[in-house]
Amino acid sequence: MQKETIAAIATGLTDSGIGIIRISGENAVKVGNSLFRLPSGKRILEKAESHKLYYGFVVDENNEKSENSSYDWKDYIIDEVMAVVMKAPKSFTGEDTVEIQCHGGVLVMQKILSCVLKNGARMAEPGEFTKRAFLNGRIDLSRAEAVIDVIHSQNEYALSASMNQLKGKLSDEVKKLRADILYEIAFIESALDDPEHITLDGYRDKLDVKIDNLIYNIEKLLATADNGKLIKEGIHTVIVGKPNAGKSSFLNLMLGEERAIVTDIAGTTRDILQETVCLDGINFHIVDTAGIRNTDDTVEKIGVERAKKYAENADLIIYVVDSSVDLDENDREIISIISSKNVIVLLNKSDLSNVVTEEKVNRAFEQIASKNENRIIIKTSAREGIGLEEFENTVKNMFFKGDLKSSHETVITNMRHKEALQESLESLKLVKRSLEDDMPEDFYSIDLMSAYTELGKIIGEEVDDDLIEEIFSKFCMGK
Amino acid sequence: MEIREKVDVCVVGAGHAGCEAALACARLGLETVIFTVSVDSIALMPCNPNVGGSSKGHLVRELDALGGEMGKNIDKTFIQSKMLNVSKGPAVHSLRAQADKAEYSRTMRKVLENQEHLTIKQAEVCELLWNEIEDENYVTKKKITGVKTFTGAIYECKAVILCTGTYLRARCLCGEAITYTGPNGLQAANHLPDSLKAMGIELRRFKTGTPARMDKRSIDFSKMEEQFGDERIVPFSFSTDPESVQKEQVSCWLTYTNAKTHEIIRNNLDRSPIYAGIIEGTGPRYCPSIEDKVVKFAEKERHQVFIEPEGLHTNEMYVGGMSSSLPEDVQLAMYRTVPGLENCKIVRNAYAIEYDCINARQLNPTLEFKAVSGLFSGGQFNGSSGYEEAACQGLIAGINAAMKILNKDPLILDRSESYIGVLIDDLVTKDNREPYRMMTSRAEYRLLLRQDNADLRLRKKGYQVGLISEEEYQALLNKEKLIEEEINRLKNTMVGANQEIQDFLVSSGSTPLKTASSLAELICRPELSYKILEVIDKERKPLPEAVIEQAEIEIKYEGYIARQKKQVEQFKKMEVKMIPHNMNYDEIPSLRIEARQKLKHFLPVSIGQASRISGVSPADISVLLVYLEHYDRKEVEGE
């Protein structure tokens, strides 16, 4: 029953050295062949030797099969890659498999995957490769049980991700599109079910306008997916604190490298540093700010202003306190800026003397921002590497509990969403075509329903009995 | 002396479900008794005087393809016929016929009376008899052994089919006036529910209603629009000769409610048993009372009212669209505001009826109770509404009772092959909170489930079961052959871009050809049809209408049909993945608790069915699939 060809990015969805796109299923080789060329331009994969690496290019020339003589496939190269064909059953899944090893940039991987999907594969479900491997007898039950966990954890992630992360505009817009489509289906259906009470006279023209509108709106959403914003999804995090509290040291600890300039002279981070850290699949875009204090140094002043601004727009604030120095005016200033946010307070330099205690911090918050309840205090020492693990676990928990959400970007950040939108768009175009061809009304609802179902995949809602409910609530039916 | 009879099957109730169930069993050679509280009300139509309509017409066609009786019976007794939705696509064409109610009932009774192996018995069944057995998995289970009537007679049998309709603890309401009777004042069945409860069967209460009947002589038809039947009548049954049904028809009439009607209703809502809270049963949204329509769709200025004859030999007219449970005086005042009904005389009042029925989730898709071997049920007892829905379930319950006794494979139709499959799957899988009515929108693959191809879809199954004769089966094979040949001929017959063809195309409002084209390609053009192409199709031989219809639909809508077939393939994959009946869901640790509870409760037979249970997520289905694969392997290895 595993005939469909599936594909996914097999490596993590963060920038790294190498990325692998895996394609598996009956048509894997055919799909691979249609997008891979040797440097000579030859397509080789359909004749390729199994388990042998080939050097070449991924070329996105799907729509460009013109007879135009000036056509050059090299104009459509996405990336320089290595490709390997693994014939069934000697592959991980036990099916024909093609793997493309490309450069590890998120954008490049997404582009290649998008090209693979265009050529006939569908996006793999969470854990699907492993599931197939098990179903084809390639791995044993103990590993299959791990698959079940994968399916579940990913499902939970997808749920919290699609429901919480995207609670913003995208979800609202998809819901609105769906509601519009459902209304039209329900109207057609009620007229078909009760032709003597509900008439379809003059309906085609109305529907035509509505379909144009729906197509326009979906295309608008899709456009956001293509302009490179893909990688921007994530939790916007800002590190604040007084100068020399250890903000940069902590960021370096998270990144595992010396990126920010760390000195013992207060005020060395004068500009804003931005980094992306990935914890278990969740992206954190972290901004390290200049220390906040009243200053006369103009350069630093600008940095402080910016820091305030970043803090206002952040999803999460990491407030680094030097626990060896007592809280002062500057700290109160900081607390008042971040009072309405999710805050993790790091009592840094805990290896030195503990002048500032948890109680002191709590008291300060209660005095200045009594309504702030979303704060967690952790003792750390950036120098000694203490507290990083606790910090990471805390952040992950906040995210999975849904306390922490990305409030930014309403763009299509997810290939699965993009695919669903595209499918939905295709279905609506088919409705348009049926209208142009003057097909009977029944044929509209078939494709409208597909469009509706596809959009439902984005917000995790299934069709079920929506339609029947809509029919009865909106239209007066019956004998 | 105690009366003790030994038969194969007992059918309780002789409505539309009971008749089909009893006929199916008897025709398959089983000794069958059908019980009814009144032999004079066999195949009674206590509500609307018609058969078919949107999606219900499909059901009757399918029933007929499988060897049921309803289609043949309405072909013999209709007084007007209409194909609905003719301009809206072939999948929603739907046949509806006005019935002569008395004739319909009498004709069906005659069929029953003359059926070999079938006995009609006027008696109220009060008790089911059963004992306990161990099933093939050593689980203790109840098994039906017979029934007992009110007079104490015992009928031992191998299977019982419950088709009790609206009779169980029935209560009729007309405003404040309440009678404890079944429809039309017939005796209610008040004992059987206790016996069912004692067996552990859960009962629930549903409600439905019917409008008033009026004296034709008191109606002014000049104020109404006349509604005619079709000029060319299409029969319901595939076995009926189309020529035999071309006959004189009677008309129906259309009128409307108005502001005055709605005002009277609103002013008297406190006297409606529903709004006063006297009715506890849930009513169907599809057949709302006029009170419901006025309250729920307050913005509508008028509602349609169809006046339909109840038969040729009666003056009673059915007032479609105005069912009600308001008191008699309010009814009269409200009806008399409708144009043409100013002086109407009511023969029978409108009333609401409440009755006991079951949540059909207690049934297998064979319509046998999961917990009681040999007990089957069909019709309104299963929580459906409508004659056609009832008849189809009756037939399937009858067939499966017979298959069980004869030790043969059961007949289970799926959602991709029939409306009957959709109907039964919805009933036994979904959470139905109201009497279930078939609708075209419930069938996901309706482009393939057309009323015109019901025979091609199902006749073979009817033949395998044994309800379709050799002659009928040969006719089907011949039809299939003719369709295939004609499609091939149309696809392979090319016409060139010569002057004659171009002139023809232009004169038919189409565009001229650029290169040669097949006739099939021309049929695909929206403005052309098989019939129009007659002029240029020189080799065409005369063919039956039904063959031409199939060939044309297959060609014209090929793209859509192919898309739908692809969806069906996806669906089938899940449907053929069966779940063993002794599945222990507690053994699967990764199932979410909600899903596990639901699965344990409904014991789905296939992965497909499991996926339609609300509360079971796609992730749960993946978990189940992985687990099942492991389970299958263990079976193979013989662990």
Side-chain angles (χ1 to χ4, degrees), chain A residues 134-135 148 152 155 189 192-193 195-197 434 437 439-440 442-443 445 447 462 469 475 477-479, chain B residues 48 54 85 88-89 91 96 285-286 293 297 304 321 439-441 446 526 557 560 563 590 618-619 629 633:
Chain A
F134 171 72
L135 293 178
I148 293 172
H152 263 285
N155 205 44
E189 294 293 327
L192 295 176
D193 254 315
E196 286 175 317
H197 286 89
S434 299
D437 286 351
M439 295 297 282
D442 181 28
F443 292 96
S445 62
D447 292 312
E462 304 205 19
E469 293 298 324
F475 306 103
M477 306 263 298
K479 54 180 192 186
Chain B
N48 52 316
S54 192
N85 284 336
K88 296 171 192 158
R96 189 195 55 202
R285 282 177 297 181
Y286 188 81
K293 291 191 199 177
F297 296 95
Q304 280 153 309
M439 295 166 75
T440 49
S441 43
R446 68 166 178 238
Y557 307 114
Y560 294 89
R563 284 216 292 286
S590 311
E629 186 66 24
R633 274 195 223 167

